[in-house]
C-alpha cells in the first residue's frame, strides 16, 4: 500500500512522575496493529525513574523518542511534544491510559 494510505501518527505522551505507568503505556503502543506511528515521551522534570524507563524503550524501538524539560506543567510538555511531532495526526496520550490494540487504526 502507498504511504498515503498509512499516514504517520505521532503519539505525544507528557509525563510527570509517571514511571510506574510508562512501560504499560509504551507496551500498549507497541502492540498496536497500526504500525506507522512514533511516540514522543516528554518528561516534564520528573524526579522519579521516568527518564530511565523511557530511555530503555528508546533503545528497543526507533519509533520512540524522548524529550526532557524542566517542570513547566502538562500543557508545556504536551506542546513540546507537538512541536517535535512529524505525524499527520497527533493524538495526546497519558501514561495512565492504555490504548486498545486497534485504537490507532484509521
Amino acid at each position: 500500500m502507498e504511504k498515503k494510505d498509512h499516514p504517520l501518527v505521532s503519539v505525544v505522551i507528557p509525563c510527570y512522575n509517571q514511571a510506574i505507568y510508562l512501560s504499560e503505556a509504551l507496551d500498549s503502543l507497541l502492540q498496536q496493529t497500526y504500525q506507522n506511528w512514533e511516540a514522543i515521551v516528554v518528561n516534564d522534570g520528573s524526579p522519579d525513574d521516568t527518564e530511565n524507563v523511557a530511555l530503555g524503550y528508546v533503545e528497543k524501538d526507533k519509533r520512540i523518542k524522548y524529550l526532557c524539560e524542566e517542570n513547566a506543567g502538562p500543557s508545556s510538555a504536551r506542546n513540546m511534544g507537538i512541536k517535535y511531532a512529524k505525524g499527520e495526526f497527533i493524538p495526546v496520550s497519558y501514561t495512565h491510559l492504555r490504548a486498545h490494540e486497534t485504537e490507532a487504526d484509521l
Side-chain angles (χ1 to χ4, degrees), residues 10 34 49 75 88 103:
S10 297
Y34 189 84
D49 205 30
S75 35
E88 187 174 335
E103 186 171 297

Side-chain angles (χ1 to χ4, degrees), residues 11-102:
V11 181
V12 175
I13 306 171
C15 295
Y16 182 78
N17 286 341
Q18 297 295 304
I20 61 172
Y21 303 112
L22 186 54
S23 290
E24 190 173 2
L26 292 173
D27 285 342
S28 176
L29 273 175
L30 290 169
Q31 295 170 8
Q32 291 294 303
T33 56
Y34 189 84
Q35 293 294 305
N36 195 22
W37 56 263
E38 68 175 351
I40 303 169
V41 177
V42 183
N43 183 351
D44 188 34
S46 300
D48 69 353
D49 205 30
T50 295
E51 180 172 33
N52 290 329
V53 172
L55 290 175
Y57 279 87
V58 168
E59 289 180 19
K60 290 179 191 178
D61 195 306
K62 66 180 182 172
R63 297 175 294 178
I64 300 173
K65 314 290 190 274
Y66 175 74
L67 302 173
C68 187
E69 68 176 8
E70 288 187 30
N71 182 253
S75 35
S76 176
R78 183 176 54 247
N79 290 340
M80 181 182 207
I82 291 169
K83 177 181 175 183
Y84 285 91
K86 296 177 183 167
E88 187 174 335
F89 300 100
I90 308 173
V92 176
S93 185
Y94 295 92
T95 54
H96 63 282
L97 301 175
R98 288 181 297 240
H100 295 287
E101 186 176 320
T102 59

